Amino acid sequence: AQKVTQAQTEISVVEKEDVTLDCVYETRDTTYYLFWYKQPPSGELVFLIRRNSFDEQNEISGRYSWNFQKSTSSFNFTITASQVVDSAVYFCALSRAEYGNKLVFGAGTILRVKS
Amino acid sequence: DAMVIQNPRYQVTQFGKPVTLSCSQTLNHNVMYWYQQKSSQAPKLLFHYYDKDFNNEADTPDNFQSRRPNTSFCFLDIRSPGLGDAAMYLCATSRDLGANTEAFFGQGTRLTVV
C-alpha cells in the first residue's frame, strides 16, 4: 500500500522567511513518482514538481527547492523568501510508475504567509 | 484560459436527490479523473476514464457513477447523496496514464447536501 504523510498541519511564517514543508512516503514499489501540488483558495490544484524514484538530485526552481532522500523516504519542499502569494495548501503525492497520474495525496499543509 | 472546466463551482442538493457534476477539457487528453476532497482532507481518487474505458477505485462507493460521452466531457453522478458526500469534487486530465505526462486539475465543484 502507498501512503504519504505530511506531519505539519499548518505553518505560519512572516514574509521573507524561509519555510520547509515535510513529506514522508511509504511504498513497496521500486519505481514510483513523487509530486508537490499547490492549492490556492480558488481551489484548483497547481502542479509544482514531479520526481521519479531514480532521480535523487535536488531541484531548484526560483524560490522553490526540493530535497529528495530515498534513505529516509522523504521529499521535502522549501520556499525561500516566502511571499504572501505563497499562502495556500500544499500537497505531497505519490504514484506508481505505471499509473503515474493516479495520485495518493498526503493530508496537506496549510501555509500562511503574513506580511 | 481555463483548460479543465468544472460546472457548477458550487452545487447544493437535497439529501437523496440525484445530482450530476460536469467536467470539460480543451486539452484533448485521453484520461479524465474524478477526485473527492472532503473538508481539510487530501483529495481521494474515485475513478478514471482512459478514453472510453472506465476504471473504478476499489473503495469507491456504488453511489458514485461516471459517464464520458466524448473526449471532452466527463460527468460525475451521485445517485443518492448523503450528508457524508458533501465535499469538493475535483476533475483532472492527463494525456496518458504514465507519470511522464502532467495532470491538469479543474477548480472543483463544492457540493453541499442539505
Side-chain angles (χ1 to χ4, degrees):
Chain A
Q2 297 188 315
K3 184 180 177 182
V4 176
T5 301
Q6 295 179 252
Q8 303 150 309
T9 305
E10 185 171 338
I11 302 175
S12 289
V13 298
V14 177
E15 216 172 8
K16 298 184 183 177
E17 284 185 7
D18 299 345
V19 58
T20 295
L21 310 181
D22 297 333
C23 173
V24 174
Y25 62 92
E26 297 174 32
T27 180
R28 293 179 183 171
D29 295 340
T30 54
T31 305
Y32 51 89
Y33 286 83
L34 295 162
F35 302 77
W36 276 94
Y37 279 85
K38 174 181 179 180
Q39 188 176 41
S42 52
E44 77 277 18
L45 285 166
V46 178
F47 170 84
L48 296 177
I49 189 172
R50 171 181 55 242
R51 172 68 71 220
N52 77 54
S53 52
F54 294 109
D55 182 1
E56 288 193 69
Q57 283 195 345
N58 292 331
E59 181 155 340
I60 299 174
S61 176
R63 295 184 298 107
Y64 296 169
S65 62
W66 291 270
N67 183 297
F68 176 28
Q69 292 196 339
K70 272 177 102 167
S71 60
T72 56
S73 298
S74 65
F75 186 45
N76 296 337
F77 173 33
T78 298
I79 302 174
T80 303
S82 60
Q83 300 176 1
V84 172
V85 293
D86 296 328
S87 298
V89 183
Y90 290 86
F91 290 97
C92 180
L94 171 67
S95 74
R96 309 188 74 174
E98 65 271 28
Y99 298 112
N101 281 303
K102 288 178 63 175
L103 303 170
V104 173
F105 285 90
T109 296
I110 300 170
L111 175 64
R112 302 190 197 279
V113 182
K114 302 173 184 176
S115 58
Chain B
D1 290 337
M3 296 176 286
V4 182
I5 302 163
Q6 292 188 242
N7 284 307
R9 290 291 311 280
Y10 301 91
Q11 175 74 56
V12 180
T13 190
Q14 291 182 340
F15 183 95
K17 184 176 180 181
V19 64
T20 294
L21 309 183
S22 169
C23 177
S24 64
Q25 54 136 338
T26 59
L27 298 162
N28 205 35
H29 280 173
N30 290 314
V31 192
M32 295 187 78
Y33 310 79
W34 280 101
Y35 285 83
Q36 179 192 60
Q37 185 180 17
K38 294 188 177 180
S39 182
S40 303
Q41 295 185 24
K44 182 177 179 299
L45 182 63
L46 295 173
F47 27 61
H48 76 273
Y49 270 96
Y50 186 96
D51 196 10
K52 295 181 180 179
D53 291 333
F54 176 71
N55 296 271
N56 205 25
E57 293 301 298
D59 54 357
T60 298
D62 292 339
N63 199 26
F64 292 87
Q65 303 288 325
S66 186
R67 296 171 284 133
R68 190 178 185 187
N70 53 52
T71 300
S72 300
F73 284 87
C74 193
F75 300 100
L76 170 62
D77 301 310
I78 308 176
R79 291 193 296 192
S80 182
L83 297 178
D85 296 326
M88 173 80 88
Y89 289 88
L90 294 164
C91 175
T93 75
S94 64
R95 190 176 71 240
D96 207 339
L97 277 171
N100 58 332
T101 61
E102 180 183 335
F104 292 83
F105 283 81
Q107 289 189 298
T109 294
R110 186 169 295 282
L111 179 68
T112 300
V113 182
V114 298

